[in-house]
Amino acid sequence: MKKLFHSNHYIYLSIFRILISIHVFKKYLQLFFNKDLITDATFLKGAPVNPIFQLFGIQQSSIFQNINIILSAIMLLSILFAFGIFRYFTPLLLYISVEIVQRAYPFILNGGDNLLKFLLLYMIFTDCYRYFTLNNSTGQKKDSISYFVNQISVLSIKIHLSLIYFVSAVFKLNAKVWFSGVATYYTLQLERFKGTEMNNILAKNGIFVTLSTYITLMWELAFPFLAWHKTGKYVVFALGIMIHLGIYIFMMIHDFEILFMMCYGFFISDEEWKKVGVYFQKIVSLFKRKIFIKEYA
């Protein structure tokens, strides 16, 4: 447990800061270009009033009227966050801005929006500015409060992701289509999820339907346990990437699939990332050497 808590993740925290900034920018840029849909009077007429807005005396109509400004602010903040400008102040404002939009427009949310909100919240308390910023931060002392908060935040991200998969699997087990092994069939048959011409062919393949349904279930149940294992995590990560990419391609669910895969990097420590870097440098050197030999042979 001590090793688990004291494993450092500064390399991936810095990488993830850039990745989530790009993700947020892309997501809200798309929303900005499609703002006519969410500013339509008929569309907004049935919008539920959020109790948090009522509590703080915020008029939800004022958010609807100024949505262009809010979306522009989110995109600007995501750029600042990517470059590590204004450090902890920027992710705080970014989180608040995203939270406002999500609460004002609950009917446009998908399965990844809830995770996105929590990830932005956790990132406020991390030292994700050690690498890839205009002014890299210095190290934290292991006995400092900031180090403790950073470690708790990273641990929270990993636990949160594990719980999402596990709870999802438990609910699936209570659904007849999943328990009987035909869930993939019904999903591939829906017009909304027909990402390719192959969908109909795959849906008619009984072996594929049964295997894809039960493998997904077993993978979600196993993830919270194997993701913490030194070698077992790479098995569930590889399988997870295949499943998420499959959903991305065949079911046209593009948003949160990428976000979930991005979180896998937190289970890899700085020491492991450095080893990957060394292996990568060796491969590059070997590749360059082969090209050099061919040129002067």
Side-chain angles (χ1 to χ4, degrees):
M1 187 67 183
K2 184 178 179 181
K3 184 179 179 181
L4 181 69
F5 182 80
H6 288 287
S7 296
N8 293 324
H9 300 82
Y10 296 114
I11 294 175
Y12 194 70
L13 272 170
S14 300
I15 295 172
F16 188 78
R17 186 195 75 246
I18 298 171
L19 292 177
I20 198 169
S21 297
I22 295 171
H23 180 82
V24 171
F25 183 87
K26 176 178 172 289
K27 179 181 180 67
Y28 286 93
L29 180 63
Q30 290 175 333
L31 191 59
F32 184 85
F33 285 136
N34 293 282
K35 60 183 180 297
D36 291 340
L37 295 174
I38 62 172
T39 53
D40 184 80
T42 306
F43 187 72
L44 297 175
K45 190 175 181 180
V49 179
N50 192 277
I52 297 296
F53 293 151
Q54 290 181 319
L55 181 65
F56 288 96
I58 300 173
Q59 295 294 324
Q60 199 156 315
S61 58
S62 63
I63 296 173
F64 296 150
Q65 293 167 5
N66 296 285
I67 190 61
N68 289 348
I69 297 174
I70 298 172
L71 293 177
S72 299
I74 289 175
M75 289 186 285
L76 175 60
L77 288 167
S78 64
I79 294 172
L80 294 177
F81 189 41
F83 285 98
I85 300 172
F86 302 129
R87 298 296 168 96
Y88 304 97
F89 185 64
T90 301
L92 175 61
L93 289 180
L94 183 59
Y95 165 74
I96 293 172
S97 302
V98 169
E99 176 77 353
I100 288 172
V101 174
Q102 287 193 5
R103 288 187 176 276
Y105 298 92
F107 33 72
I108 64 171
L109 304 183
N110 59 47
D113 285 300
N114 192 48
L115 176 61
L116 174 62
K117 176 177 66 176
F118 278 99
L119 288 173
L120 290 174
L121 177 62
Y122 297 140
M123 289 297 285
I124 297 171
F125 304 100
T126 63
D127 180 12
C128 57
Y129 309 102
R130 194 71 66 90
Y131 305 96
F132 316 122
T133 64
L134 298 177
N135 184 20
N136 297 336
S137 67
T138 56
Q140 298 171 325
K141 293 182 179 179
K142 288 201 172 185
D143 58 347
S144 66
I145 295 176
S146 58
Y147 178 80
F148 177 78
V149 171
N150 178 81
Q151 298 300 89
I152 288 293
S153 300
V154 173
L155 193 60
S156 297
I157 293 173
K158 295 193 282 187
I159 293 173
H160 197 137
L161 183 68
S162 299
L163 284 175
I164 288 174
Y165 284 134
F166 186 75
V167 172
S168 174
V170 170
F171 275 96
K172 284 183 174 70
L173 284 171
N174 289 282
K176 188 177 179 180
V177 291
W178 282 95
F179 193 78
S180 57
V182 293
T184 306
Y185 167 80
Y186 287 104
T187 306
L188 291 173
Q189 285 292 303
L190 293 173
E191 190 65 32
R192 159 63 182 87
F193 300 114
K194 285 191 177 181
T196 70
E197 295 297 326
M198 286 285 294
N199 284 41
N200 289 331
I201 298 172
L202 294 173
K204 293 175 182 177
N205 188 313
I207 296 174
F208 173 81
V209 168
T210 304
L211 283 177
S212 60
T213 301
Y214 285 132
I215 286 174
T216 302
L217 264 177
M218 290 187 291
W219 166 70
E220 287 187 333
L221 286 170
F223 188 95
F225 306 100
L226 293 181
W228 308 85
H229 191 266
K230 186 176 181 180
T231 54
K233 62 187 176 185
Y234 295 108
V235 176
V236 289
F237 292 166
L239 190 55
I241 290 170
M242 289 173 60
I243 290 172
H244 282 300
L245 287 179
I247 295 171
Y248 185 98
I249 295 168
F250 292 103
M251 300 180 187
M252 295 190 299
I253 304 176
H254 300 154
D255 195 354
F256 68 89
E257 302 302 330
I258 302 299
L259 185 63
F260 272 70
M261 289 188 287
M262 280 162 47
C263 294
Y264 293 171
F266 285 111
F267 290 89
I268 303 173
S269 66
D270 281 356
E271 292 74 20
E272 291 170 297
W273 280 114
K274 287 176 182 177
K275 287 180 182 178
V276 171
V278 171
Y279 290 139
F280 181 75
Q281 287 178 350
K282 287 182 179 179
I283 292 172
V284 172
S285 298
L286 183 63
F287 183 72
K288 287 181 177 179
R289 195 179 306 162
K290 286 184 176 180
I291 292 176
F292 180 81
I293 291 172
K294 284 183 179 179
E295 286 181 350
Y296 293 93

